[in-house]
Amino acid sequence: MTRTTTDPTNLRRALRREIPSTVALLADEQDFAAMRRYRTFLFDDHTAYLRQIEGLLKTLARQGGHTTVALFDPEEYAAWCAETATDPDLPASRSRFTAHLAATGARVTYTGQPLTTLLPELVDTAVRQATWEYATTVLATAGDCATCGKDIGKAAYERAARLLVRLLAAAGPGTHHLVCSVPAADDQLLAVLHTEGTALPEDAPGTGFAAEFTAVLAAGIALSAPGGLVLRTSAPDTPDRLHGWRLTDGTLTPLTEAEVFSAYCTDARTGEPLSPEPGVEYRAGFPLAPGPDDDRTTHH
């Protein structure tokens, strides 16, 4: 290939397109207000700040480089500054922290999407990463069973994977939407999985949805937590079907039709009844027969 451009300015522009950029932003008013305590943080209006962020992202996109966006958490920033003996009231410190987020934090690629699309995607990515980290920490630190000596986390993950495979096989054809919820500390672990047909999907690079779902279910098994799982199946020319299970003693116990209806038709915040969704059938969870490799022992 013949190179015809030797002008230093053009060469710098070409080089700039090969340098990736990371922009860390304050997604909500509360985080923005927390940063205003620093004298060198010059913004005083969150809406104007987001406008400037979007303008910066568009400029970087026009330059042709690769740009990722990360969440800037003021509490995490303060803790990082304390750990690294860094003055938090310096623009250079915020820049160094952004570089830290580029390697370790939740981030999404900027492709020109508006902030109204990018922000929810970024928050969802951050929640998913936190859920994954918590669930895998639970499994990694569960220790060995005092009775049989087995690794509790490993056994829980293997059991969760088998349960998920059998659940999808029993669900039959269609588009399946699964939600697993497990109480943990002062929060709720939540994982979502979309799949087609009866086979567990392989995770596409950079997604990890199947692994995340399995890890959350496994964390519930390892913790002996009273979690739950719901399945919604859609197929052409038929009503959607809703099924539910209760996680007890390391397995999924089917809910009755009335329990499934009550779970979906009750406002979780107020306890008030909700109208049934049109075109949806509320059904009992179906039993999942134990597999030949199942270890029915609950490890502690």
Side-chain angles (χ1 to χ4, degrees):
M1 183 178 70
T2 302
R3 294 180 174 84
T4 59
T5 302
T6 58
D7 179 74
T9 301
N10 290 334
L11 290 175
R12 280 195 297 273
R13 287 172 180 166
L15 184 60
R16 179 68 185 85
R17 288 194 293 271
E18 299 187 22
I19 299 174
S21 300
T22 300
V23 176
L25 60 82
L26 298 154
D28 59 44
E29 292 274 6
Q30 184 175 350
D31 286 347
F32 181 82
M35 289 302 293
R36 291 194 62 199
R37 69 178 180 267
Y38 299 120
R39 178 186 54 82
T40 58
F41 185 76
L42 302 180
F43 292 92
D44 57 11
D45 180 82
H46 188 235
T47 301
Y49 162 82
L50 290 178
R51 225 174 11 246
Q52 293 298 322
I53 287 285
E54 188 160 33
L56 172 62
L57 291 172
K58 290 178 179 178
T59 298
L60 292 171
R62 283 194 298 269
Q63 293 173 352
H66 177 78
T67 302
T68 56
V69 184
L71 276 181
F72 195 107
D73 185 316
E75 291 186 5
E76 185 182 349
Y77 173 61
W80 177 84
C81 287
E83 290 171 5
T84 58
T86 302
D87 183 353
D89 200 359
L90 290 175
S93 301
R94 295 191 285 275
S95 179
R96 285 181 56 199
F97 180 66
T98 297
H100 167 74
L101 293 177
T104 63
R107 54 207 179 276
V108 299
T109 300
Y110 178 70
T111 58
Q113 66 269 49
L115 283 188
T116 51
T117 300
L118 187 146
L119 285 177
E121 180 185 1
L122 184 56
V123 170
D124 179 67
T125 301
V127 170
R128 284 183 54 210
Q129 177 169 311
T131 298
W132 168 256
E133 289 175 353
Y134 187 95
T136 53
T137 298
V138 166
L139 298 177
T141 59
D144 296 332
C145 177
T147 303
C148 67
K150 284 189 175 182
D151 183 315
I152 295 173
K154 184 173 183 291
Y157 192 91
E158 290 172 351
R159 179 181 289 188
R162 290 193 296 269
L163 285 171
L164 185 54
V165 167
R166 289 206 298 276
L167 189 149
L168 289 175
T175 300
H176 305 300
H177 175 83
L178 301 95
V179 179
C180 181
S181 177
V182 173
D186 297 326
D187 209 342
Q188 196 83 3
L189 294 182
L190 195 70
V192 177
L193 180 64
H194 300 273
T195 183
E196 294 280 347
T198 59
L200 183 65
E202 292 187 9
D203 283 327
T207 61
F209 288 103
E212 290 168 14
F213 192 94
T214 306
V216 168
L217 179 57
I221 293 171
L223 293 170
S224 298
L229 188 150
V230 293
L231 164 70
R232 180 172 187 145
T233 298
S234 304
D237 305 318
T238 61
D240 282 7
R241 306 188 307 274
L242 295 176
H243 303 270
W245 292 262
R246 183 182 297 107
L247 180 61
T248 53
D249 295 327
T251 192
L252 294 172
T253 303
L255 297 177
T256 66
E257 183 176 318
E259 288 173 324
V260 173
F261 182 88
S262 176
Y264 273 94
C265 298
T266 303
D267 189 306
R269 183 174 58 85
T270 65
E272 294 295 318
L274 300 173
S275 300
E277 189 176 345
V280 172
E281 294 180 352
Y282 300 87
R283 298 187 179 183
F286 38 83
L288 301 175
D293 297 326
D294 266 359
D295 176 4
R296 301 296 295 171
T297 305
T298 300
H299 301 282
H300 298 288

